[in-house]
Amino acid sequence: MISLLPRRAQASQPVPGSADWLRLARLARTLSWATLAWLGVEGGVAIGAAVAAGSVALLGFGLDSGIESLASIIVIWRFTGTRLASATAERRARQLVAVSFFLLAPYIAVEAVRALVAGDRAETSIVGLVLTAGTAVFEPALGVAKRRIGARLGSSATAGEGTQNLLCAYLAMAVFAGLAANTLLGAWWLDGVVALGISAWAVVEGRRAWAGRSCGCAPQLGAPC
């Protein structure tokens, strides 16, 4: 099997089952638990604010938090009990994380097109602006950490969850820009355009996750990449 990692990165990968590998697996699981707690708050607040403001992009952002939660649960499952050393568990986890991306795309695309065709205008949402700004600051650190851990573990599932955190941060920036543009410039259509971008990006990242290319990590434990 040809590895996708540079030689230096391959050398830094701990042996599966070693003390260093188990430490990283526990860290991945802990970060997923922390993410799950954050996303529960983020998703609830975002959906509530979206309903109040009539914002499709903000609703998509809230639903994305729910999809991210699924990815966190999958990674927690992957690194619990006998699945720690299972190539089959890694492969299934990677595919389930990919499916979680695909769950988001169709709904958001349909809602975005409906909003653009109908000319729906989202109202100003101060709560949405504050929430998306906070997410844009907080989630990149989580995403980068998980992608690095995923590369060292040879776990595309972990790296895929990290990619979702980064995606959420970028989406937060985009939704913030859309809400701000609507508030300041009356650019109501930007909300729907941002929502379409969310949908397209989710599909792209889902395909990458399914193929095991979430971070270019070399799979371990015999799992195919």
Side-chain angles (χ1 to χ4, degrees):
M1 180 182 294
I2 299 176
S3 173
L4 298 176
L5 276 178
R7 292 185 182 275
R8 184 185 307 175
Q10 292 180 48
S12 69
Q13 286 185 287
V15 176
S18 66
D20 192 26
W21 192 93
L22 292 173
R23 179 185 62 81
L24 288 170
R26 287 193 297 271
L27 180 56
R29 189 172 62 228
T30 299
L31 287 176
S32 293
W33 274 116
T35 302
L36 197 58
W38 162 257
L39 291 174
V41 176
E42 178 188 271
V45 173
I47 291 174
V51 171
S55 170
V56 177
L58 189 55
L59 178 61
F61 178 72
L63 292 174
D64 176 70
S65 298
I67 301 302
E68 276 190 275
S69 297
L70 290 178
S72 296
I73 292 170
I74 291 164
V75 171
I76 292 168
W77 171 86
R78 161 67 182 94
F79 289 113
T80 300
T82 58
R83 290 180 293 274
L84 270 171
S86 171
T88 300
E90 170 60 29
R91 183 173 63 254
R92 288 177 179 170
R94 184 188 76 209
Q95 292 171 343
L96 286 170
V97 168
V99 169
S100 72
F101 278 104
F102 297 139
L103 291 175
L104 178 66
Y107 175 79
I108 299 304
V110 170
E111 286 299 305
V113 171
R114 184 195 62 77
L116 287 170
V117 170
D120 291 346
R121 297 172 180 264
E123 298 177 4
T124 298
S125 175
I126 300 302
V127 173
L129 288 168
V130 172
L131 178 66
T132 51
T135 298
V137 172
F138 175 68
E139 289 221 31
L142 278 176
V144 170
K146 289 175 187 176
R147 284 176 61 85
R148 288 176 178 172
I149 292 170
R152 294 203 65 200
L153 289 172
S155 172
S156 290
T158 303
E161 188 199 0
T163 298
Q164 285 205 10
N165 294 147
L166 291 174
L167 174 61
C168 184
Y170 297 143
L171 295 181
M173 296 175 195
V175 173
F176 179 91
L179 292 172
N182 181 59
T183 300
L184 300 175
L185 305 174
W188 62 270
W189 50 267
L190 192 56
D191 186 78
V193 171
V194 169
L196 283 175
I198 292 173
S199 176
W201 200 344
V203 171
V204 171
E205 290 300 336
R207 294 182 63 184
R208 285 174 56 82
W210 184 273
R213 298 196 302 268
S214 294
C215 69
C217 54
Q220 294 181 344
L221 302 171
C225 186

